[in-house]
Amino acid sequence: QVQLLESGGDSVQAGGSLTLSCSLSKYTYTTYCMGWFRQGPMKEREGVAAIDSDGDTSYTDSVKGRFTISVDNIKNTLYLHLSNLRPEDTAMYYCAALVHMPPSQALSLMNGRLEGFGYWGQGTQVTVSE
């Protein structure tokens, strides 16, 4: 059973930065394609970023240049660094471990049904104020 535990969410002002962390079960990163998705109030789920075991990444257009996904294999931790935050980034952010696939495909998958494709955590809240 894969276990994922997110942390690092907070309330920040627009323009601020945060780093979200996701604690992974051992070997999760080498077995799955990892990613972050978010769901804001009254919004559809949105894939934000994904990374595979080769370090290849993919980002949704609205966060390119502002968010960075990374993995620390020693600490078994997935990160999402958020910078230049905007009010529209307000959402619950979830960490996901998906069956092995290209990051771009994982990003699209996180916009839709995830059941049967992997695991995800309970989420961590990010709130961005003006």
Side-chain angles (χ1 to χ4, degrees):
Q1 180 74 19
V2 174
Q3 293 184 329
L4 307 169
L5 182 63
E6 304 94 336
S7 62
D10 205 347
S11 296
V12 298
Q13 289 190 319
S17 299
L18 279 175
T19 297
L20 307 182
S21 301
C22 177
S23 177
L24 312 174
S25 304
K26 200 173 183 181
Y27 305 123
T28 299
Y29 174 58
T30 57
T31 306
Y32 295 87
C33 181
M34 304 300 302
W36 291 90
F37 63 90
R38 65 186 179 186
Q39 187 154 21
M42 308 296 287
K43 292 184 179 180
E44 298 289 326
R45 186 196 307 138
E46 178 184 33
V48 174
I51 185 169
D52 67 11
S53 57
D54 293 326
D56 293 329
T57 59
S58 186
Y59 298 90
T60 193
D61 286 345
S62 63
V63 308
K64 285 180 181 176
R66 300 190 300 122
F67 291 9
T68 303
I69 188 170
S70 63
V71 173
D72 185 326
N73 288 331
I74 304 300
K75 295 183 178 179
N76 292 315
T77 303
L78 177 73
Y79 298 101
L80 184 69
H81 181 68
L82 300 74
S83 63
N84 193 18
L85 281 160
R86 304 167 181 170
E88 54 264 37
D89 295 318
T90 294
M92 185 73 81
Y93 284 73
Y94 299 85
C95 165
L98 304 174
V99 295
H100 191 69
M101 66 180 70
S104 58
Q105 186 176 349
L107 201 64
S108 296
L109 182 68
M110 287 188 284
N111 291 334
R113 284 180 59 88
L114 291 175
E115 288 78 4
F117 289 97
Y119 305 88
W120 50 95
Q122 296 298 307
T124 186
Q125 178 68 38
V126 173
T127 302
V128 185
S129 58
E130 295 280 1

